[in-house]
Every structure is written in C-alpha cells, then in structure tokens.
Amino acid sequence: MRTEAQHHETGYRSRRTSGTSSLNRRRLALLALFFLPGISIASWVTRTPSIRDSLDASTAQMGLVLFGLSIGSMIGILGSGPLVSRWGARPVVLVGTIGVVASMPIVGIGAAVSQSLVVAAGLVVFGLGMGTGEVAMNVEGAELEKHLGTPFLPALHGFFSLGTVIGAVLGIVATAADFSVLIHLVAIGILGAIVLVPAMRHVPAGTGRTDAATTSADASASAHDDRNPSAASTVSGSRARPVWRDPRLIVIGAIVLGMALAEGTANDWLPLVMVDGHGFDAALGSSVYAIFAASMTLGRFLGGPIVARFGRPNVLLVSGAFGLVGIGLTSLIDSQVVAAIAVILWGLGTSLGFPVALSEAGASGPNPAKRVATVSTIGYLAFLVGPPALGLVGEHWGLRSALLIPMGVLVLVVALAPVLRRRHRARRPREPQSPR
C-alpha cells in the first residue's frame, strides 16, 4: 500500500507538472501574439515603395501619411499603462491585437483606391493597436520571465523579429511579382485573426492590475531582497514617489528611447533609404530590410544566454555601439555593398536593446509591472517622433542625412549604459570581512 508521504509526493509532482504545462502554454501564446505585429509591420514596410507609387506621394507626403501611425501610437501608448493598471494586461492585449489585425485590410484598401487618408487611417488603427497591445504584452512577458526564472523578453521580441523576417520575405516576393497590395494585406489580416483566437485562451487575467495590497506586497518583497540591500531604505520613498521619478528608471527610459528610435527608423524608412539613398530597386531595397530583420531575429534568439553571461548593462553598451556603427556606415558611406553589410550591425545592435532594457526596468525596484509599462511608454515614443521627423528632414537633406538623428541618440545610449553598470556594482551585497 502507498504511504501518505507517497500520496503527497504524487500530488506535488502532479501540481508541478500542471504548473509547468500552464507556463509553457502561456509562453507559446505570448510568442504567437508578439509574432503578429512583426509580420504586419513588415508587410506594410516592404510595400511602401508600391504604396507610395499608388498614392503618387512625395517623401514629405509619405511622412504625413506615416503621421497616422504616430497619432494612433500616441493614443495607444499613453492609454495602455493606465488601462493595464485598471483592468490587467489580458483585455488590453486582446483589443490591441484586434486593431493590428484589422489595420492591414484598411491600408490595402487605401492603396487600391489611391487615397492617402484611408492609408493614414489604417496606420492610425495599426498604431493604436500596436501601441496599446505591445505595452501590455511587455508587462505580461516581464511577469512570465519572473516565473520562468530565465531571460524571456529577448525571445519574446525575437518572435516579433521573426514575424518581420517572414513578412519581409513575403513582401519581397509580392513586390517582385507586382502582386496586389490589397490582396497581400488582406491575407495578412486573415492570418492574424486565425492566430489571435486560440492564443488569447492561454493569457491569464489580472497581470499588471494594481491595487494598494499589490503595491504594498511588491514594496515589502523588495525591502527584504538580500540581493538589493539598498531597497529597504528606498521603499518608503518609492511608495510616495511615482516610479517615473526614479533616477535609475529615467536612465533606462532614455536607453529604451534611443534603441527604439534606431529600430523604428529601420522599420519605417529602411527600404526607402536603400531605394532613394543608395540606388537599389524596390525589390532589392526590400531585400536589405529583410537582412536587417533577420539580424534582429538572430540577435534576439541568441540573446538570452548572452544576457545571463555578461549582464544587462554590458549587453546594452555593446548593443548601442553596434547600432551606432551600423547606422553610421549606412548614412555616411556611399556604397551599396557597405550599406547591405552595415544593416547587419544595425540589426544586431538594436536587437537586444529594447527587451533587455525592459528586463532591467522590471528589476529596478518595487511595482515592476508599472515600471515596465512606464519604460515601454517612453520607448514607444520613438515610434511617434521618428516617422514624421525623419520624413521632413529627408525631404530637405535626404534620408541618409536624416539617419544622423538616430545616430546622435545612440551616442547617448552608449554614454548612459555604463551608469547602469556602476549602479549594479553598488547594489551588490558587501562580502563579510573575516576577523583578523
């Protein structure tokens, strides 16, 4: 007969297996949901030359069309954090992803009827959905990373990049075959709906929803964390002070802003930089974007062990330097070969910046969900400022000259990353001195 201890052991193993299975389903659901904005944005970006020709738009006019993306993103980003705090991440992810899925047919219809306003409206919907949904998914991903006990956000953002690679390849083929933009983007929308429905079943409710008890528990946990001996002295101050006033979080937010601007610049303008600035044809310009997207994907899928080995501050420093060199070569060297090689550095450099900085934000103090939401909001502001600003600069001085803007911001990233490294050293507990 089985003893009572054996019954307890069997029950424990069953609960552990069930918990692991639930986490795996949750992980796969988030990876699938993060894939959708990637394939959607790449489908739009690789067709920008065709869409521009359909609209008969100048560079400045395309910048104004892209401003629809900025408007939608502004509303979504600024609203997402409070919505997650009020309702939790799940409903925000759902509504945001529905916006991403619905936007693709709208953009396709606008291109088919040569109406800039319809394309801009589709980008408003896309920006609203992506801005709202991705902030919430980052909150959900940071929470899952804590449960898994290993770096997860690089892989999560890696699936966004994987989506951009697949979307870019499909876009290249469609561009080379002069395939209908409308049919292409409608098909992407249908694919998104097919993925969305089953994935949402495994996203739990309540993640990121804050109340007084949750905030108090987070603060208490930080106060008793042996790895952060300075936390106990700062908990009382953090209760009274909003997280965005934390100097460490401000530094992380500035780093996210720079890395997101570098990534967003490629997402919005790289094919046109290659076509207008380096003389590629439309299909080859899209191919160079695919190289960038593949580099991003590779960096993110390989990034987890690298972060675990070298630490987040060191990875952010090297990432910023790689991105700086890549954008610099693309902007300053008038060579198609150099430009094609430089986007590899650009992609590898920006691949880990955003997700690693979000992990750093989640570990920076009490109330990690709000910290991740705050830093995500700061980072996504790059997607608001970037498209119209670069379009206006590019109209007067050329798109290659416009790349000097993200270059300058990456200089700031390289300068700030060592600050996080010094703070990490300061937070390490002191070794007890042996008596003499």
Side-chain angles (χ1 to χ4, degrees), residues 263-284:
E263 179 182 347
T265 298
N267 289 335
D268 290 325
W269 291 108
L270 187 54
L272 291 180
V273 168
M274 293 300 149
V275 172
D276 295 348
H278 285 286
F280 289 89
D281 62 31
L284 284 176

Side-chain angles (χ1 to χ4, degrees), residues 216-284:
S216 176
D218 286 338
S220 177
S222 291
H224 293 89
D225 187 352
D226 293 336
R227 294 168 298 175
N228 189 1
S230 63
S233 62
T234 60
V235 164
S236 60
S238 65
R239 287 173 179 165
R241 185 175 63 183
V243 294
W244 57 266
R245 294 182 63 184
D246 183 344
R248 179 177 181 79
L249 202 64
I250 293 173
V251 171
I252 298 170
I255 291 174
V256 168
L257 179 66
M259 301 305 290
L261 179 59
E263 179 182 347
T265 298
N267 289 335
D268 290 325
W269 291 108
L270 187 54
L272 291 180
V273 168
M274 293 300 149
V275 172
D276 295 348
H278 285 286
F280 289 89
D281 62 31
L284 284 176

Side-chain angles (χ1 to χ4, degrees), residues 193-225:
I194 292 172
V195 172
L196 171 63
V197 174
M200 286 306 303
R201 297 173 183 167
H202 304 293
V203 179
T207 303
R209 188 167 57 212
T210 58
D211 51 34
T214 302
T215 303
S216 176
D218 286 338
S220 177
S222 291
H224 293 89
D225 187 352

Side-chain angles (χ1 to χ4, degrees), residues 29-30 32-37 40 89-104 125-126 128-134 136-137 188-189 191-197 199-200 203:
L30 275 178
L33 290 170
F34 234 86
F35 173 86
L36 293 181
S40 299
R90 188 178 191 276
V92 183
V93 170
L94 175 61
V95 173
T97 308
I98 288 174
V100 169
V101 170
S103 69
M104 291 295 99
V125 176
F126 180 83
L128 182 63
M130 187 171 175
T132 302
E134 286 212 358
M137 280 191 276
I188 296 299
L191 172 66
I194 292 172
V195 172
L196 171 63
V197 174
M200 286 306 303
V203 179

Side-chain angles (χ1 to χ4, degrees), residues 8 13 34 37 86 107 161 172 228 301 324 334 421-422:
H8 279 298
R13 289 178 179 175
F34 234 86
R86 176 67 179 86
V107 173
S161 298
I172 291 166
N228 189 1
F301 282 129
L324 179 61
D334 187 14
R421 188 164 54 187
R422 291 195 295 269

Side-chain angles (χ1 to χ4, degrees), residues 64 134 290 419:
L64 292 175
E134 286 212 358
V419 174

